[in-house]
Amino acid sequence: MTALPKLSPPVEPARLWPENAAFMARTDLERLRLLGVGPANLDSITLHLLGVLGTRPTVRHRSGVTDEILTFLQDAGLMIAEDIRIYDSAEEAEAIADSLAAEGRPLFWPYPLRRGRFHESAHLVRTGLWGRLNSKAGLAGIAPARALAPRRIVPTATLGARLDHPVVVKAGGEEATGWGGTVRFCDTLERLLEVKAEFLSREISTCVVEQELPVERCWCANLAISEAGVVYLGAAEQMFSAPGCQSGSIIDPNTPLPPEGVDLAIEIGEAARAMGFIGVAGLDIGRIADGRLIVFDPNFRFNACTQQILLHHAATKRAGLTVSRSVVADVPLSVRSLIKRLQSAVEDGWFVPTRIVDRSILSNEKGKSILNGFVLGADRLDAEKNARLLDLLIS
């Protein structure tokens, strides 16, 4: 494939995380128990953010950084200049992290590393602070009251006494959550009791119960937080398949996060900065029917839409298009076959791949792959059409 012009993020990698920091995301299932993931996810999580981390060291599983995959992603325009440290086992990943920490490189990650394995001084963000900032119950400590839905924090065991209106129930502790894994919409008392039983079985002892609000649009606003201040990176509008169940993200210049939403995100980012947080964060902010902006969830880590946000401007400018729409798919094709089928879409400019994982290496599933990226379009309908076209190409 002919190499395409490079996709340069609008923010230098050093503005996202400190220059001396190293990306190490390999954790264990105990840390991710509320996300509902399996063993293969522990390694696939390490393969995000290719093309936006500059030259810093990264610890990545072999399944997503083979020569074949890296060549294709670079030809597609990703600027991959990292010092990639490849591992095959969890022990190898942690040994590499040990050496990076010994060099004085703080480790950053989306979810805390194995409990007790590394000294707290090895982390860019202390695990206790990470837990407090990402706790849905703790949101009121960093977000202004005007921007919160009516909510109460209760022991899970007390749920179900009555239900006067639809609510959204969320895990309220400091364990890692995400992907809607512990967010449940309840519009009947029977449903609320089902969620109570489920959460108790998963040892979720505290819940946030929020009044369901008429949300017109919801965005994930991304920030880069450093000792020098807070930089707004952009926002992706969230797409939902059901209440509280996100199915993807879209960036459309005709439906941006309103300026007051940007100000709100920065205000919360400043509160987190004052507590000592450094790195990239995302905040789920919705506009409800009366025009108010409400913060629903804190995500003090990189988000599923972070790479899309950082590459959107360069990709749309390169293609002469305006809208981007995320893609994530389990593909019944080998990496070689997948790349072959993607070449025309990439060369024509309407698809940008951001992650390809060889399942035969990741989990011994031969002839299968994982694909992340985003399609582009002249408008939302055109992007949706291209998403369907891509689905046909890789099916």
Side-chain angles (χ1 to χ4, degrees):
M1 186 177 81
T2 303
L4 298 175
K6 296 300 181 184
L7 299 174
S8 178
V11 177
E12 290 294 320
R15 300 283 297 279
L16 304 176
W17 290 275
E19 286 189 273
N20 69 327
F23 176 58
M24 161 58 181
R26 213 307 177 169
T27 184
D28 64 5
L29 288 176
E30 185 269 332
R31 283 296 207 183
L32 305 185
R33 72 177 192 90
L34 296 184
L35 272 71
V37 301
N41 296 98
L42 297 175
D43 295 313
S44 64
I45 286 172
T46 73
L47 300 169
H48 290 285
L49 300 178
L50 282 162
V52 299
L53 292 182
T55 60
R56 59 170 46 90
T58 60
V59 185
R60 299 192 182 276
H61 190 261
R62 185 178 304 279
S63 58
V65 288
T66 63
D67 289 344
E68 186 175 26
I69 291 172
L70 289 179
T71 296
F72 179 66
L73 294 178
Q74 288 173 314
D75 286 348
L78 269 63
M79 299 175 64
I80 303 174
E82 305 166 11
D83 175 9
I84 301 177
R85 314 288 178 94
I86 297 175
Y87 77 90
D88 291 295
S89 69
E91 293 76 16
E92 288 177 333
E94 291 184 344
I96 295 169
D98 282 333
S99 65
L100 291 169
E103 295 173 13
R105 294 185 177 276
L107 308 175
F108 67 95
W109 26 260
Y111 306 108
L113 304 186
R114 186 156 65 94
R115 196 179 302 276
R117 173 59 178 79
F118 299 94
H119 191 274
E120 280 295 304
S121 62
H123 305 302
L124 179 63
V125 176
R126 302 296 193 263
T127 54
L129 174 60
W130 187 95
R132 291 194 298 276
L133 288 173
N134 282 283
S135 171
K136 294 172 173 57
L139 183 57
I142 53 173
R146 70 179 189 279
L148 294 176
R151 64 203 315 255
R152 55 196 177 96
I153 300 167
V154 301
T156 305
T158 65
L159 290 175
R162 58 186 295 177
L163 183 66
D164 298 321
H165 48 70
V167 297
V168 177
V169 181
K170 307 174 181 180
E174 295 187 359
E175 292 186 81
T177 60
W179 310 341
T182 55
V183 177
R184 300 289 183 267
F185 173 69
C186 301
D187 57 351
T188 66
L189 185 57
E190 180 182 25
R191 175 57 178 155
L192 184 61
L193 291 172
E194 290 175 354
V195 171
K196 173 183 177 180
E198 177 203 350
F199 278 21
L200 287 175
S201 72
R202 299 174 69 182
E203 300 180 350
I204 299 172
S205 60
T206 303
C207 288
V208 177
V209 181
E210 287 185 350
Q211 180 180 333
E212 171 68 3
L213 297 176
V215 180
E216 294 183 337
R217 294 189 187 277
C218 195
W219 297 264
C220 181
N222 276 224
L223 305 168
I225 302 172
S226 69
E227 293 179 354
V230 178
V231 176
Y232 174 67
L233 300 176
E237 184 181 341
Q238 297 174 327
M239 302 183 295
F240 295 90
S241 56
C245 186
Q246 188 180 351
S247 60
S249 57
I250 189 165
I251 302 177
D252 180 353
N254 291 318
T255 57
L257 177 66
E260 57 269 32
V262 177
D263 293 340
L264 174 61
I266 292 174
E267 180 180 352
I268 296 172
E270 288 287 0
R273 185 173 75 90
M275 295 171 68
F277 180 83
I278 294 175
V280 170
L283 298 163
D284 294 346
I285 299 176
R287 185 180 66 209
I288 62 176
D290 64 8
R292 284 183 297 153
L293 293 173
I294 302 295
V295 183
F296 290 107
D297 285 314
N299 300 294
F300 283 86
R301 53 174 169 80
F302 69 82
N303 290 248
C305 61
T306 297
Q307 203 168 2
Q308 180 185 359
I309 287 172
L310 290 172
L311 298 178
H312 169 85
H313 177 74
T316 52
K317 183 178 179 180
R318 185 180 72 179
L321 300 169
T322 59
V323 173
S324 67
R325 179 185 173 115
S326 67
V327 169
V328 56
D330 286 315
V331 184
L333 297 169
S334 67
V335 164
R336 183 157 297 176
S337 297
L338 175 61
I339 287 175
K340 185 175 181 180
R341 293 199 187 186
L342 289 175
Q343 282 184 345
S344 62
V346 172
E347 289 179 335
D348 290 344
W350 58 267
F351 177 63
V352 176
T354 56
R355 185 179 72 147
I356 294 176
V357 182
D358 187 340
R359 277 196 178 275
S360 70
I361 301 174
L362 178 67
S363 55
N364 202 30
E365 293 186 70
K366 297 188 183 302
K368 294 186 179 180
S369 307
I370 301 171
L371 174 67
N372 290 75
F374 52 91
V375 297
L376 304 172
D379 52 32
R380 295 172 82 99
L381 289 177
D382 191 41
E384 183 178 345
K385 179 199 73 175
N386 283 337
R388 292 195 299 268
L389 178 57
L390 183 75
D391 189 52
L392 290 174
L393 282 176
I394 63 179
S395 298

